[in-house]
């Protein structure tokens, strides 16, 4: 009889823990997953990436399609526009009023705590960047 009581108590505790634990929902909409501040942590040419020991700034994707870059050394902000669908588009304002468009393939991983950006259709010294989410 005591074995049965132990089984009941054991399964009761397991049941309580299973219903009380909330699972963290992973955002699947890239337009929502990209929101927030990001700091570069690796860069290079995939798969040969070098770690960044000291970031010089961070980028913040805001909900109104505004991309705000912050330079740690100068304390200045720089603004761009962005759009995300199957690609991430960054629009850099030029002096003549037009925008230079840069396209990235993107991938979220590590429960949307990291972001991989790969230049699309551009010859660059470094073509892959890994960002980590910061608070």
């Amino acid at each position: 009889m005591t074995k049965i009581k132990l089984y009941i108590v054991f399964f009761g505790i397991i049941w309580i823990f299973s219903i009380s634990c909330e699972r963290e929902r992973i955002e699947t909409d890239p337009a929502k997953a990209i929101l927030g501040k990001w700091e570069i942590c690796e860069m290079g040419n995939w798969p040969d990436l070098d770690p960044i020991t000291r970031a010089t700034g961070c980028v913040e994707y805001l909900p109104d399609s505004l991309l705000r870059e912050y330079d740690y050394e100068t304390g200045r902000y720089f603004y761009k526009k962005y759009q995300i669908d199957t690609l991430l588009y960054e629009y850099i304002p030029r002096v003549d009023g037009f925008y230079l468009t840069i396209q990235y393939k993107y991938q979220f991983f590590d429960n949307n705590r990291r972001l991989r950006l790969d230049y699309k259709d551009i010859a660059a010294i470094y073509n892959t960047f890994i960002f980590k989410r910061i608070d």
Side-chain angles (χ1 to χ4, degrees):
M1 191 66 152
T2 58
K3 266 190 170 179
I4 294 174
K5 286 181 183 177
L6 284 174
Y7 283 126
I8 291 172
V9 170
F10 176 73
F11 286 114
I13 291 171
I14 297 295
W15 180 74
I16 288 171
F17 280 121
S18 69
I19 63 169
S20 66
C21 294
E22 279 189 43
R23 295 180 188 252
E24 184 180 341
R25 185 173 173 269
I26 305 299
E27 184 61 59
T28 57
D29 180 6
K32 293 179 183 173
I34 200 165
L35 297 178
K37 290 183 181 179
W38 299 87
E39 190 174 73
I40 192 164
C41 60
E42 295 179 65
M43 66 188 284
N45 297 309
W46 187 259
D48 297 321
L49 301 176
D50 296 320
I52 303 297
T53 55
R54 188 174 149 260
T56 60
C58 67
V59 296
E60 183 176 9
Y61 292 91
L62 301 170
D64 56 356
S65 296
L66 195 62
L67 171 58
R68 181 168 59 182
E69 293 182 354
Y70 180 71
D71 186 317
Y72 292 150
E73 188 175 317
T74 63
R76 294 186 58 196
Y77 288 98
F78 304 94
Y79 293 90
K80 300 177 187 176
K81 291 200 169 281
Y82 78 94
Q83 176 188 348
I84 189 166
D85 49 34
T86 58
L87 294 174
L88 171 64
Y89 305 91
E90 288 185 4
Y91 303 102
I92 302 169
R94 296 188 332 192
V95 177
D96 59 3
F98 292 98
Y99 287 92
L100 174 65
T101 304
I102 299 176
Q103 300 175 2
Y104 297 98
K105 290 188 262 180
Y106 63 87
Q107 176 187 3
F108 294 98
F109 60 101
D110 194 18
N111 292 333
N112 290 348
R113 302 294 302 163
R114 294 196 180 263
L115 169 65
R116 175 181 166 185
L117 296 180
D118 293 301
Y119 279 123
K120 181 175 177 1
D121 300 331
I122 190 170
I125 295 172
Y126 298 115
N127 61 16
T128 301
F129 306 92
I130 306 288
F131 289 83
K132 65 180 175 182
R133 188 180 297 275
I134 59 174
D135 299 322

